[in-house]
Structures are given as structure tokens and as C-alpha cells.
Amino acid sequence: MKPSRKFPLTRLRRNRQSANLRDLVAENALSSDDLIQPIFIKEGLKGKESIEPLPGVSRLGLDVLNEEIRELESAGIKAIALFPVIDSSKKDDKGSESLNEDNLVSQAIKQIKEMSEMVIISDVALDPYTSHGHDGLINADGYVDNDLTLPVLTEQALVLAKAGADIIAPSDMMDGRVKSIRDAFEAKGYVNTLILSYAAKYSSKFYGPFREAVGSSANLGVGSKDTYQMDVSNVKEALQEVAMDIEEGADIVMVKPGMPYLDIVKAVKDEFSIPTFAYQVSGEYAMLKGAIEKGWLSEEAFMESLLCFKRAGADCILTYAAKEIALELNK
Ligand code: PBG
């Protein structure tokens, strides 16, 4: 039976009197175990290079990658997501460089594996590698062709698994790619490589700074990803996407973007018992960081935004602020 909560027997403010009391009754908490740091690595770069629309985030050369991993470890971060910025001369309409076993990402994975236990998540999608900036292959009609793309994504996933990625993360939104990759992993002996599926990934305007960071925005031009990424207006379709990816063999599912899509995180978490991650994407980071840098928001707004992901049901959050927030949490 629900107690009747009548004033003044019930004063909800009693529980809020002090910080210690508030902590005792808190329903959710954020810890550095919940944070994943995305990292941009750039081919041929020595040192770091700042990214204008992502203040405080840099592209890293492989020469400074180990140092960054050590810093993340000491901040308490346990996983990273790698994103390559390859030489533009290596981009073509088929994204061929994604299948090169010695490409930038493979090198980075091997390098990190030699020095750290850090969990490595690696994206599966062709956009960092294609001259047109799309995640898949384009057919004669100019359409991003699902079934033509599947074997390439599967091959890309195998390259990443072979290099030593712990988790591969298809972010391309082709239908059937999780099954295709899972089957290939079973057949080739990568039975313990996880698949983190970007299951509910929306065709969002919040990815702008990321596309700038990996250099795919110029290639994509005015083209959109509307024919494969999800329509912003849909909720039930997200549940269908997630259900299919679980059935196809995903170990973890992801919702993306994050903050404007917390209703989707909650819907997925309520419906399925599978680890559910959310991606606080580049545009969300830029909004928050931009306003904080201007002094229009206090720095604590960032922490608040991440706690809200936990409240919605996210088990883990990919955020460009992971290191900085982890340092703050573990102070
Ligand atoms: C690649 C990919 C994108 C992001 C993650 N993987 C961009 C896109 O789909 O265009 C976006 C991440 C971000 O905005 O922070 N498919």
C-alpha cells in the first residue's frame, strides 16, 4: 500500500537538509566506471591538434597516444572509442583503406594493447574512409546500398577484431550488419569480441563537430544520412531496431545522440535487459562547453547532464568530457 503523503507529516524537504542526507537518499549516481572517452587519432600527425568546434578535445598523433592512455587510466577511465582521421589521399568511393590490416586504427589498437588493459572500442562504418563521406557504398542509382555494404563492414569488423579491438561498434545503421558480423566472428574464431551496436542512431544535426573532427563533413557536403539513420520523430522504431540487433547478436546497444534522446534511452532500458549505452555526441559537447567557456553556464552543468543519462537508465556514457569529469569525480 502506498503511504499517503500529506503535509506536514510529510515534508519532502526534510531529506534535502544537508549534503550528507541528500547523498544517502540519492537514487542515481555517476562514477568514472560509467564514462567512455572517444579519441580522435590522426594519420601522420606529430603531437596534438585542436579541433575548433570541440574545445578541449584534440586530434592525437600515434606518438602521443600512449601518454594519453596513461592519463586516462590514472583518471579512472576504463574504455576508449577510437576514431581515425586518415590521409585524404587514401579516401576513395569504396572506403578501401578500412580494410587495410595495417591502417591507422589497427596500428593504434596494437600499440595500445601492448601497453595497457584499456578496453578498446572501435567504430565500424565507412565514413572516415570514403570520398563521399557516407557510411556505406553508393550504387549506380546514387543510393547508399545496404546489401552491397554488408560484406565490407563485416570485413572491416574482422580487421579490427584481428588487430585486437575488444569491442567493435557498428555505427553505420545498415540493416542486418550485426548478424553478418556476428556470424563472421563465430566462423573466424573471434567468439569473445563484443558487438556494441549503435542500434538507435538518429539522423541528427548534432554530429556536426564530429564530422569536422574526422574530416568527413567536407566530403559529405549537403548530403544527408536520412536514408539509413533513423528519423528524429520515432520512438517505437528505436525499439524495433534494438530488438533486431539483440536478436542478431549484439552484446550492448547504444542510443545516439544522448541528451535530446533520453526518452529513447529510458524506453530501451525499460523494454530490454541488455546493457544500454548512450552517446553524448559532439554537438551536445559543443553546446555545453561553448556556454561554459563563455561563462553562461557553470561547469557543474556538465556533471548534471551526465547524471541525467544515468537517471534515464544509461549504463555507460560516451562523452568527450570523460577524462575531465572522471578527474573531478575521483578527486
Ligand atoms: C560514424 C560516426 C558518427 C559519429 C560516431 N560515429 C558520425 C555520423 O554518423 O555522421 C558521431 C559522433 C559525434 O557526433 O560525436 N558513422
PDB file of all heavy atoms in Angstrom, residues 180-194:
ATOM      1  N   SER A 180      25.565 -10.255 -39.708  1.00  0.00           N
ATOM      2  CA  SER A 180      26.645 -10.563 -40.634  1.00  0.00           C
ATOM      3  C   SER A 180      27.993 -10.571 -39.912  1.00  0.00           C
ATOM      4  O   SER A 180      28.825 -11.469 -40.115  1.00  0.00           O
ATOM      5  CB  SER A 180      26.615  -9.534 -41.768  1.00  0.00           C
ATOM      6  OG  SER A 180      27.710  -9.702 -42.611  1.00  0.00           O
ATOM      7  N   ILE A 181      28.206  -9.594 -39.032  1.00  0.00           N
ATOM      8  CA  ILE A 181      29.466  -9.509 -38.294  1.00  0.00           C
ATOM      9  C   ILE A 181      29.559 -10.636 -37.260  1.00  0.00           C
ATOM     10  O   ILE A 181      30.596 -11.288 -37.120  1.00  0.00           O
ATOM     11  CB  ILE A 181      29.591  -8.122 -37.604  1.00  0.00           C
ATOM     12  CG1 ILE A 181      29.730  -7.023 -38.658  1.00  0.00           C
ATOM     13  CG2 ILE A 181      30.777  -8.104 -36.633  1.00  0.00           C
ATOM     14  CD1 ILE A 181      29.585  -5.608 -38.113  1.00  0.00           C
ATOM     15  N   ARG A 182      28.458 -10.894 -36.558  1.00  0.00           N
ATOM     16  CA  ARG A 182      28.481 -11.953 -35.537  1.00  0.00           C
ATOM     17  C   ARG A 182      28.786 -13.309 -36.168  1.00  0.00           C
ATOM     18  O   ARG A 182      29.587 -14.089 -35.660  1.00  0.00           O
ATOM     19  CB  ARG A 182      27.148 -11.975 -34.779  1.00  0.00           C
ATOM     20  CG  ARG A 182      27.029 -13.052 -33.733  1.00  0.00           C
ATOM     21  CD  ARG A 182      28.135 -13.005 -32.683  1.00  0.00           C
ATOM     22  NE  ARG A 182      27.931 -11.981 -31.681  1.00  0.00           N
ATOM     23  CZ  ARG A 182      28.939 -11.386 -31.019  1.00  0.00           C
ATOM     24  NH1 ARG A 182      30.196 -11.717 -31.257  1.00  0.00           N
ATOM     25  NH2 ARG A 182      28.696 -10.462 -30.117  1.00  0.00           N
ATOM     26  N   ASP A 183      28.141 -13.586 -37.306  1.00  0.00           N
ATOM     27  CA  ASP A 183      28.393 -14.862 -37.999  1.00  0.00           C
ATOM     28  C   ASP A 183      29.864 -14.978 -38.377  1.00  0.00           C
ATOM     29  O   ASP A 183      30.485 -16.031 -38.202  1.00  0.00           O
ATOM     30  CB  ASP A 183      27.530 -14.974 -39.268  1.00  0.00           C
ATOM     31  CG  ASP A 183      26.066 -15.249 -38.923  1.00  0.00           C
ATOM     32  OD1 ASP A 183      25.781 -15.567 -37.748  1.00  0.00           O
ATOM     33  OD2 ASP A 183      25.215 -15.128 -39.835  1.00  0.00           O
ATOM     34  N   ALA A 184      30.425 -13.885 -38.901  1.00  0.00           N
ATOM     35  CA  ALA A 184      31.829 -13.909 -39.316  1.00  0.00           C
ATOM     36  C   ALA A 184      32.740 -14.107 -38.101  1.00  0.00           C
ATOM     37  O   ALA A 184      33.721 -14.859 -38.155  1.00  0.00           O
ATOM     38  CB  ALA A 184      32.185 -12.607 -40.034  1.00  0.00           C
ATOM     39  N   PHE A 185      32.405 -13.466 -37.004  1.00  0.00           N
ATOM     40  CA  PHE A 185      33.220 -13.627 -35.780  1.00  0.00           C
ATOM     41  C   PHE A 185      33.186 -15.077 -35.290  1.00  0.00           C
ATOM     42  O   PHE A 185      34.198 -15.631 -34.876  1.00  0.00           O
ATOM     43  CB  PHE A 185      32.716 -12.683 -34.669  1.00  0.00           C
ATOM     44  CG  PHE A 185      33.198 -11.260 -34.810  1.00  0.00           C
ATOM     45  CD1 PHE A 185      34.013 -10.870 -35.869  1.00  0.00           C
ATOM     46  CD2 PHE A 185      32.855 -10.301 -33.862  1.00  0.00           C
ATOM     47  CE1 PHE A 185      34.458  -9.553 -35.993  1.00  0.00           C
ATOM     48  CE2 PHE A 185      33.306  -8.989 -33.960  1.00  0.00           C
ATOM     49  CZ  PHE A 185      34.096  -8.609 -35.030  1.00  0.00           C
ATOM     50  N   GLU A 186      31.999 -15.685 -35.324  1.00  0.00           N
ATOM     51  CA  GLU A 186      31.891 -17.093 -34.896  1.00  0.00           C
ATOM     52  C   GLU A 186      32.710 -17.984 -35.823  1.00  0.00           C
ATOM     53  O   GLU A 186      33.428 -18.866 -35.379  1.00  0.00           O
ATOM     54  CB  GLU A 186      30.421 -17.540 -34.900  1.00  0.00           C
ATOM     55  CG  GLU A 186      29.579 -16.969 -33.770  1.00  0.00           C
ATOM     56  CD  GLU A 186      30.003 -17.467 -32.377  1.00  0.00           C
ATOM     57  OE1 GLU A 186      30.327 -18.665 -32.225  1.00  0.00           O
ATOM     58  OE2 GLU A 186      30.013 -16.638 -31.434  1.00  0.00           O
ATOM     59  N   ALA A 187      32.594 -17.717 -37.120  1.00  0.00           N
ATOM     60  CA  ALA A 187      33.278 -18.559 -38.107  1.00  0.00           C
ATOM     61  C   ALA A 187      34.795 -18.419 -38.026  1.00  0.00           C
ATOM     62  O   ALA A 187      35.529 -19.380 -38.241  1.00  0.00           O
ATOM     63  CB  ALA A 187      32.787 -18.213 -39.510  1.00  0.00           C
ATOM     64  N   LYS A 188      35.260 -17.215 -37.692  1.00  0.00           N
ATOM     65  CA  LYS A 188      36.705 -16.970 -37.728  1.00  0.00           C
ATOM     66  C   LYS A 188      37.365 -17.022 -36.347  1.00  0.00           C
ATOM     67  O   LYS A 188      38.527 -16.651 -36.193  1.00  0.00           O
ATOM     68  CB  LYS A 188      36.977 -15.604 -38.375  1.00  0.00           C
ATOM     69  CG  LYS A 188      36.479 -15.479 -39.814  1.00  0.00           C
ATOM     70  CD  LYS A 188      37.559 -15.916 -40.796  1.00  0.00           C
ATOM     71  CE  LYS A 188      37.020 -16.202 -42.187  1.00  0.00           C
ATOM     72  NZ  LYS A 188      36.713 -15.027 -42.982  1.00  0.00           N
ATOM     73  N   GLY A 189      36.609 -17.429 -35.344  1.00  0.00           N
ATOM     74  CA  GLY A 189      37.221 -17.621 -34.026  1.00  0.00           C
ATOM     75  C   GLY A 189      37.263 -16.390 -33.133  1.00  0.00           C
ATOM     76  O   GLY A 189      37.905 -16.412 -32.089  1.00  0.00           O
ATOM     77  N   TYR A 190      36.564 -15.336 -33.510  1.00  0.00           N
ATOM     78  CA  TYR A 190      36.527 -14.155 -32.627  1.00  0.00           C
ATOM     79  C   TYR A 190      35.271 -14.201 -31.757  1.00  0.00           C
ATOM     80  O   TYR A 190      34.473 -13.265 -31.729  1.00  0.00           O
ATOM     81  CB  TYR A 190      36.585 -12.865 -33.452  1.00  0.00           C
ATOM     82  CG  TYR A 190      37.863 -12.746 -34.263  1.00  0.00           C
ATOM     83  CD1 TYR A 190      37.869 -12.935 -35.637  1.00  0.00           C
ATOM     84  CD2 TYR A 190      39.072 -12.478 -33.623  1.00  0.00           C
ATOM     85  CE1 TYR A 190      39.043 -12.861 -36.367  1.00  0.00           C
ATOM     86  CE2 TYR A 190      40.255 -12.408 -34.338  1.00  0.00           C
ATOM     87  CZ  TYR A 190      40.230 -12.598 -35.705  1.00  0.00           C
ATOM     88  OH  TYR A 190      41.400 -12.538 -36.418  1.00  0.00           O
ATOM     89  N   VAL A 191      35.121 -15.321 -31.054  1.00  0.00           N
ATOM     90  CA  VAL A 191      33.856 -15.530 -30.334  1.00  0.00           C
ATOM     91  C   VAL A 191      33.722 -14.602 -29.130  1.00  0.00           C
ATOM     92  O   VAL A 191      32.627 -14.389 -28.621  1.00  0.00           O
ATOM     93  CB  VAL A 191      33.679 -17.000 -29.886  1.00  0.00           C
ATOM     94  CG1 VAL A 191      33.659 -17.924 -31.093  1.00  0.00           C
ATOM     95  CG2 VAL A 191      34.787 -17.411 -28.916  1.00  0.00           C
ATOM     96  N   ASN A 192      34.839 -14.062 -28.669  1.00  0.00           N
ATOM     97  CA  ASN A 192      34.778 -13.189 -27.491  1.00  0.00           C
ATOM     98  C   ASN A 192      34.881 -11.707 -27.807  1.00  0.00           C
ATOM     99  O   ASN A 192      35.047 -10.891 -26.908  1.00  0.00           O
ATOM    100  CB  ASN A 192      35.858 -13.589 -26.478  1.00  0.00           C
ATOM    101  CG  ASN A 192      35.427 -14.809 -25.685  1.00  0.00           C
ATOM    102  OD1 ASN A 192      34.237 -14.992 -25.428  1.00  0.00           O
ATOM    103  ND2 ASN A 192      36.378 -15.645 -25.321  1.00  0.00           N
ATOM    104  N   THR A 193      34.808 -11.361 -29.063  1.00  0.00           N
ATOM    105  CA  THR A 193      34.794  -9.938 -29.404  1.00  0.00           C
ATOM    106  C   THR A 193      33.361  -9.428 -29.266  1.00  0.00           C
ATOM    107  O   THR A 193      32.434 -10.005 -29.832  1.00  0.00           O
ATOM    108  CB  THR A 193      35.305  -9.709 -30.840  1.00  0.00           C
ATOM    109  OG1 THR A 193      36.600 -10.309 -30.963  1.00  0.00           O
ATOM    110  CG2 THR A 193      35.396  -8.234 -31.153  1.00  0.00           C
ATOM    111  N   LEU A 194      33.207  -8.365 -28.491  1.00  0.00           N
ATOM    112  CA  LEU A 194      31.862  -7.842 -28.260  1.00  0.00           C
ATOM    113  C   LEU A 194      31.377  -6.993 -29.432  1.00  0.00           C
ATOM    114  O   LEU A 194      32.188  -6.361 -30.119  1.00  0.00           O
ATOM    115  CB  LEU A 194      31.834  -6.964 -27.005  1.00  0.00           C
ATOM    116  CG  LEU A 194      31.798  -7.659 -25.639  1.00  0.00           C
ATOM    117  CD1 LEU A 194      33.175  -8.163 -25.256  1.00  0.00           C
ATOM    118  CD2 LEU A 194      31.291  -6.684 -24.581  1.00  0.00           C
TER     119      LEU A 194
END
